[in-house]
Amino acid sequence: MAKLLVKLQRYFRRKPMRFFMLLTLYLAAGSLVFLHSGFAGEPTVPGSQRGPGAGEGPGLPYLGVMQLSRGFKAAVTMPEGRRRHGLRFKSTSKEPVERGKAGDYGSTRSRALRSRSGREKEEDRARYIGCYVDNTRRRTLRGVSFFDYKKMTVFRCQDNCAERGYLYAGLEFGAECYCGHKVQASNASESECNMECKGERSNTCGGVNRLSIYRLELAQESARRYGSAIFRGCFRRPDNVSIALPVSQLMLNMSVDKCVDFCTEKEYPLSALAGTACRCGFPTTLFTLHEREDEQLCAQKCAGEEFESCGTAEYLLVYQTQVQDNRCMDRRFLPTHAKQLVALASFPGAGNTWARHLIELATGFYTGSYYFDGSLYNKGFKGERDHWRSGRTICIKTHESGQKEIESFDSAILLIRNPYKALMAEFNRKYGGHIGFAAHAHWKGKEWPEFVANYAPWWATHTLDWLRYGKKVLVVHFEDLKRDLFVQLQRMVGLLGIAACEDRLLCVEGQKDGNFKRSGLRKLEYDPYTPEMRKMISGYIKMVDTALKLRNLSGVPDDYYPR
């Protein structure tokens, strides 16, 4: 063997070029083998690896090891073999086969079945009420309208009407959308509303002079508007009406616009129609706007507008004008430094900024923050610039959930929100700003599943940590705050040690939205949560529900669980 090596060494010493050629061929062959193995290797099976987001509820080890410090970032990446969850597209190659099986895919029966399926998907935001007659002389829905002869969908129409505060959305000719507060026409046969939407074949968008009409169930979360005024409801006339609504004017040719314009000119935030009388005032303890009556009691036609209601002498139809109620707009820093630090704690996306807005209006004092957000400071949250330990603010915003951070506060208001909505809200904020929306590319890309895998466990640990380490914790559900703002805000102000002025709290109700509210329905035409995500989140909801009940508190609201 040694003699052979000596001979090779002498050979290549005489012919060095041959040695380099042989070496080059060897390296080239190795490279080709490597590339081949890269392209021809066995593919991974989607779903074969389970990441932290694929858990099954309580007992997940991932929940216990999350690092939830102040500098928390979504740094976990998706496993290679894991499926990217996004919008599910139907295969276009199957369409001709399916159409062949179903016969004429343009038939009324086929479209009706697809339309019913589409309507079921819309149940969480609107309710289909039927097919109605419509014509250019007497419009069924007399609000705004818009058209899109290429991409009209049921959701687009509903969303645009909801953003403008209308109660009803109707579609006609497959491409026309009409909004309104009342349906002023007779029913038509369902078979007459059989035209496919221009932007989706899975649903129908009315017919020739026929409207497919939906009642927007979520429109009540947004303000119902009549022009520039916000509809507040039908109310019984207060006992001391001349004190509760001090300014009045008799209008024989009454209409909503005339009464609203009159009260706006007099600089009052409330406009109340009482038949032929228009009254103006403020919400006070004499007229709280808390006890609504059936709107049919106020359904007396206006003398000056046939299709509007103007209330009666006993039941007033109330609108909020564009005049700002300044009784609760003054804010300042605490006159003396606070001896105790109160946290306004929440998971991101749970409405912390909105709660700060409400607290500042209700107390008249600025709120602080554990962080610093320049955009919030520029919008009027002047306590944002102060150090959180300065003692000059009434409470401190925080998203922290570690024991050390929690024990830094003497008491806390813990704001909890439905995780499905909180996650979407925070995702929108992260990719679209405080009042913007994430782009569809983010929802359909890898960002959304990675975000859910990281943030869903944090939603649970945040609440569990505050319940465990918090010294004095007042739990407020975001949904209860929206539903019964006056009572919940009283509880929050009570913990802060401020004597709540009822007139000031009533003023807050009229200014409750502030500058950080996303308008309209959610901006997605599909459910972003996969079954795996829902299974994981449901497990975390049960954990939080159990922890609340162990503290003798009411559990999570029923609507936290998906239908």
Side-chain angles (χ1 to χ4, degrees), residues 81-301:
R82 192 167 174 182
R83 176 182 172 184
R84 286 173 56 183
H85 298 289
L87 180 58
R88 297 177 182 176
F89 294 95
K90 292 183 179 179
S91 172
T92 54
S93 62
K94 292 183 180 180
E95 285 185 1
V97 178
E98 292 173 352
R99 290 172 184 169
K101 291 179 181 178
D104 180 10
Y105 72 93
S107 67
T108 302
R109 176 175 173 79
S110 175
R111 283 195 295 268
L113 290 172
R114 289 197 300 273
S115 178
R116 185 173 65 182
S117 174
R119 288 168 193 157
E120 289 171 355
K121 295 177 183 178
E122 303 297 323
E123 284 182 353
D124 62 333
R125 51 180 173 258
R127 178 169 57 88
Y128 178 73
I129 64 171
C131 181
Y132 285 79
V133 175
D134 187 52
N135 58 64
T136 55
R137 295 180 184 178
R138 187 183 179 87
R139 284 292 177 195
T140 302
L141 297 177
R142 299 193 164 203
V144 299
S145 61
F146 70 99
F147 318 98
D148 190 335
Y149 291 97
K150 291 184 178 180
K151 298 180 180 179
M152 178 60 74
T153 66
V154 171
F155 179 85
R156 284 194 63 202
C157 180
Q158 292 173 357
D159 191 48
N160 277 273
C161 293
E163 274 198 18
R164 291 160 176 79
Y166 288 99
L167 283 178
Y168 297 94
L171 296 107
E172 187 174 1
F173 290 110
E176 301 177 4
C177 176
Y178 296 89
C179 310
H181 294 291
K182 300 176 184 176
V183 178
Q184 306 178 70
S186 56
N187 282 85
S189 171
E190 286 296 318
S191 61
E192 297 179 65
C193 286
N194 61 357
M195 293 184 69
E196 288 183 341
C197 302
K198 296 297 182 181
E200 58 177 346
R201 287 180 173 175
S202 62
N203 219 334
T204 56
C205 287
V208 179
N209 293 328
R210 297 293 183 269
L211 277 175
S212 295
I213 297 183
Y214 296 81
R215 180 179 174 86
L216 305 176
E217 302 295 340
L218 296 186
Q220 294 179 4
E221 293 184 8
S222 305
R224 284 169 53 184
R225 294 183 179 272
Y226 281 72
S228 61
I230 300 173
F231 178 72
R232 296 296 297 270
C234 177
F235 301 90
R236 185 185 292 273
R237 186 185 69 178
D239 294 333
N240 300 315
V241 66
S242 59
I243 300 175
L245 301 168
V247 176
S248 63
Q249 175 76 37
L250 187 67
M251 296 181 178
L252 298 179
N253 199 25
M254 174 72 82
S255 71
V256 173
D257 285 342
K258 288 180 181 178
C259 187
V260 169
D261 289 344
F262 172 73
C263 293
T264 300
E265 185 180 341
K266 296 295 182 181
E267 297 186 355
Y268 283 97
L270 291 186
S271 172
L273 291 84
T276 56
C278 175
R279 298 183 176 276
C280 314
F282 294 93
T284 64
T285 52
L286 295 175
F287 194 46
T288 62
L289 303 183
H290 287 166
E291 298 178 1
R292 283 195 179 199
E293 303 288 348
D294 187 339
E295 289 182 27
Q296 291 302 314
L297 297 173
C298 292
Q300 178 176 301
K301 290 184 179 180

